[in-house]
Amino acid sequence: MVDEATLRAVISEVLSGLNRAAPPAAAAPAAAPAVRTAPAVVAPRADGRLGVFSDMNAACEAAQGAFVRLQKHGLEGRAKVIEIIKGLCTAKAAEWGPLEFAETKIGRLDHKIEKLQIVKLVPGLEWLRPYALSGDHGITLEEYTPFGVIGAITPVTHSVPTLAGNVVSMVAAGNAVVFNPHPGGARCAAVAVRAFNEAIQAALGIEHLVCTVIEPSLQTFDQMCRSEAVRLLCVTGGPGVVQAAMKSGKRAICAGPGNPPVVVDGTGSLAKAAVDIIKGASYDNNLLCIGEKQVFVLEAYAERFMNELAAAGAAKLTPGQLDRLTGAAFTTARDAGGCSHPVLNRKLVGADAAVLAEQAGTRVGPDVPLLFAETDAEHPFVMEEQMMPMLPIVRVKTFDDAVAGAVRSEHGYRHSAILHSLNVDHMTQMARAVDTTLFIKNGASVAGLGLGGEGYLNYSIATTTGEGIATPRTFTRTRRCVMVDNLRIY
Ligand code: NAD
């Protein structure tokens, strides 16, 4: 466990590091980006206690034992675990958010904290109502039952929130879970895992319901996939890990990559569209997989729309500044066929707008949430899932062109798309063309996760394999129980 004094030191170091990184308002362009100084995060010891292991096979076995014990506690036991996870995420958000920020060094501290505070919105047991049939031949009940142990992969973009959301859904469904977290967020994940198990053990006497390894690697991923105890995989991440999981031979629920396009057709309020787009695209410095990544705007409204973006606080880059930033944000590589393609510079993923501005050869204040620049439709900032608070704006002649650009830049991930329009025909046309899991109209992308729109939250959106936003039902097997010619009461 990290003791309180260490935690306080980490938080104060991170906060002072943030203050140091803030550039003066009207200084000259700087050559190098501001570097975030953050202390190393102290992880719990991988001593095989309370869910934190060095050996993946031992973690999987321990989770199997915990699954058997959870069954004995029934639905009441699951409800208690959910209460514990949600309660800890709320209570510890101000401690764990800075830990995750210090370890991953990406995104925004206030949003790291908020993403933990809202874990309470992830659905629980209420999603597991059985389906019943009653007829001349008796009664049939279909129940949503657990798999056993689930092997889960989490992204560096939201390590503890994804882990916590997964635990709520998976345990609500009666499962135990083993994590192979992203190596860049494995320490804060272990801190949370230990705290969860400590509280679960105190309440139910189960020590290893949530397991993790302290040094995740491709080898531990492989061991997890091969473990006989692991009955199902749940992957939240980019294309590489989705492909690896789908080749593993185990069933995998895959919450894969996105590159959400936005279309602005000018029929609605441009000022509102600008505010909504800034809200979604700047959230945690655009690390969200659902976050607005590129905008297609009809040319008749493009100028006014960009003025509204600036009026709402975003900063526009000149073509020269965009070129400089593009040179820093992407390198070029050749694939096996000799074709060159852009490769994202991971060091700028989730960086502050002020840091990106420095790379572009300019300065913006620390309160500027988002940069934007006009680009063509083939620009790397449009076509790559760049996860930076820098929004490319593409002018198009017609709505058809806008939809075509949206579809092309989304790459068939079928993840998320956003439209600002009052034209119902346009809504229908774009919905059919993009065919995405989430399609948000007239709101920020986060409205698609119940944050400003109707609905519920989770951090795993099973786009690739089609289950949608994860719920407890996602992690169940449907089993049918039949009584022939009996039990019917009329
Ligand atoms: P990433 O793909 O680099 O890593 C995700 C996880 O997979 C990590 O735990 C990593 O260690 C592991 N991994 C990566 N390649 C692997 C391989 N070949 N074999 C085994 N394990 C491997 O992604 P990231 O940078 O951590 O997260 C960002 C990505 O995740 C983006 O593409 C984003 O869209 C996606 N994402 C999707 C959702 C969703 O719900 N659909 C949610 C969050 C993030």
Side-chain angles (χ1 to χ4, degrees):
M1 271 298 285
V2 178
D3 60 52
E4 197 182 325
T6 311
L7 278 170
R8 286 191 189 288
V10 167
I11 294 163
S12 105
E13 181 72 24
V14 169
L15 291 172
S16 63
L18 272 181
N19 290 337
R20 280 197 300 277
V35 175
R36 278 175 178 163
T37 52
V41 174
V42 182
R45 284 185 45 202
D47 51 8
R49 284 185 51 250
L50 294 164
V52 182
F53 291 83
S54 56
D55 177 45
M56 177 56 88
N57 289 323
C60 294
E61 271 173 40
Q64 175 62 29
F67 164 64
V68 173
R69 301 193 69 175
L70 180 68
Q71 283 179 310
K72 299 195 177 109
H73 286 276
L75 293 175
E76 203 180 330
R78 298 187 207 176
K80 185 70 199 166
V81 173
I82 294 166
E83 185 190 316
I84 287 169
I85 304 296
K86 292 185 174 184
L88 276 170
C89 285
T90 305
K92 298 276 189 181
E95 289 178 20
W96 291 353
L99 276 189
E100 180 157 346
F101 187 66
E103 184 180 8
T104 61
K105 302 180 183 67
I106 55 177
R108 285 178 44 175
L109 179 57
D110 51 345
H111 293 153
K112 295 274 180 262
I113 294 170
E114 190 175 62
K115 286 194 293 186
L116 286 163
Q117 286 167 335
I118 59 178
V119 166
K120 57 177 176 279
L121 303 177
V122 174
L125 283 172
E126 67 279 7
W127 272 77
L128 294 176
R129 302 236 157 82
Y131 176 62
L133 292 166
S134 170
D136 292 342
H137 300 295
I139 280 191
T140 287
L141 191 64
E142 285 188 345
E143 295 236 60
Y144 302 109
T145 70
F147 278 86
V149 177
I150 299 177
I153 314 284
T154 49
V156 72
T157 46
H158 342 280
S159 186
V160 181
T162 309
L163 183 145
N166 278 179
V167 175
V168 169
S169 308
M170 292 170 185
V171 173
N175 304 285
V177 51
V178 176
F179 286 95
N180 195 57
H182 191 290
R187 288 164 178 241
C188 55
V191 169
V193 162
R194 181 139 292 180
F196 291 157
N197 284 317
E198 207 165 41
I200 294 166
Q201 188 182 41
L204 302 176
I206 307 174
E207 186 180 354
H208 299 298
L209 195 58
V210 184
C211 294
T212 190
V213 286
I214 205 82
E215 285 187 15
S217 62
L218 291 183
Q219 193 193 356
T220 55
F221 169 81
D222 200 46
Q223 286 168 340
M224 188 179 81
C225 292
R226 285 170 192 267
S227 168
E228 278 184 20
V230 172
R231 302 273 309 277
L232 176 72
L233 299 174
C234 174
V235 168
T236 309
V241 65
V242 165
Q243 247 186 7
M246 288 175 107
K247 282 188 193 150
S248 70
K250 287 231 158 85
R251 184 178 161 219
I253 291 165
C254 295
N259 195 34
V262 187
V263 170
V264 178
D265 73 0
T267 55
S269 160
L270 294 175
K272 181 176 183 307
V275 169
D276 286 344
I277 290 168
I278 291 173
K279 181 176 178 188
S282 68
Y283 194 87
D284 210 13
N285 284 343
N286 213 348
L287 290 180
L288 294 183
C289 57
I290 59 167
E292 291 84 345
K293 297 290 189 298
Q294 63 279 353
V295 176
F296 298 89
V297 55
L298 268 70
E299 65 181 355
Y301 306 97
E303 218 52 58
R304 273 171 48 210
F305 169 65
M306 285 188 275
N307 289 342
E308 295 293 358
L309 280 177
K316 188 175 183 185
L317 297 182
T318 64
Q321 289 165 350
L322 173 67
D323 284 349
R324 283 185 68 168
L325 179 57
T326 306
F330 301 94
T331 52
T332 313
R334 286 193 183 279
D335 60 23
C339 295
S340 66
H341 59 91
V343 177
L344 192 59
N345 174 5
R346 301 284 304 194
K347 286 188 181 151
L348 291 181
V349 165
D352 289 346
V355 173
L356 300 182
E358 287 186 32
Q359 291 289 326
T362 183
R363 283 264 170 140
V364 299
D367 295 337
V368 169
L370 185 73
L371 307 179
F372 67 99
E374 255 194 275
T375 72
D376 61 57
E378 301 301 317
H379 196 279
F381 267 107
V382 174
M383 297 305 282
E384 298 300 310
E385 190 195 13
Q386 25 97 1
M387 294 180 278
M388 296 174 203
M390 196 336 263
L391 198 62
I393 312 289
V394 182
R395 288 179 197 239
V396 288
K397 287 195 186 317
T398 65
F399 186 74
D400 287 355
D401 293 343
V403 171
V407 169
R408 201 172 133 64
S409 62
E410 213 271 329
H411 303 296
Y413 291 141
R414 294 186 169 80
H415 197 299
S416 301
I418 300 102
L419 172 63
H420 291 273
S421 172
L422 299 180
N423 182 323
V424 176
D425 289 343
H426 283 180
M427 295 178 192
T428 310
Q429 179 183 341
M430 184 165 165
R432 289 179 182 167
V434 289
D435 195 18
T436 44
T437 307
L438 295 177
F439 181 45
I440 297 112
K441 291 158 290 291
N442 301 326
S445 55
V446 290
L449 292 183
L451 307 169
E454 286 301 320
Y456 52 88
L457 173 75
N458 217 332
Y459 292 101
S460 294
I461 307 166
T463 47
T464 318
T465 47
E467 292 83 357
I469 299 161
T471 70
R473 189 93 70 85
T474 310
F475 303 105
T476 58
R477 299 165 56 216
T478 307
R479 295 173 60 194
R480 180 177 282 194
C481 177
V482 179
M483 171 63 87
V484 179
D485 292 340
N486 221 325
L487 269 185
R488 213 165 172 245
I489 55 174
Y490 69 96

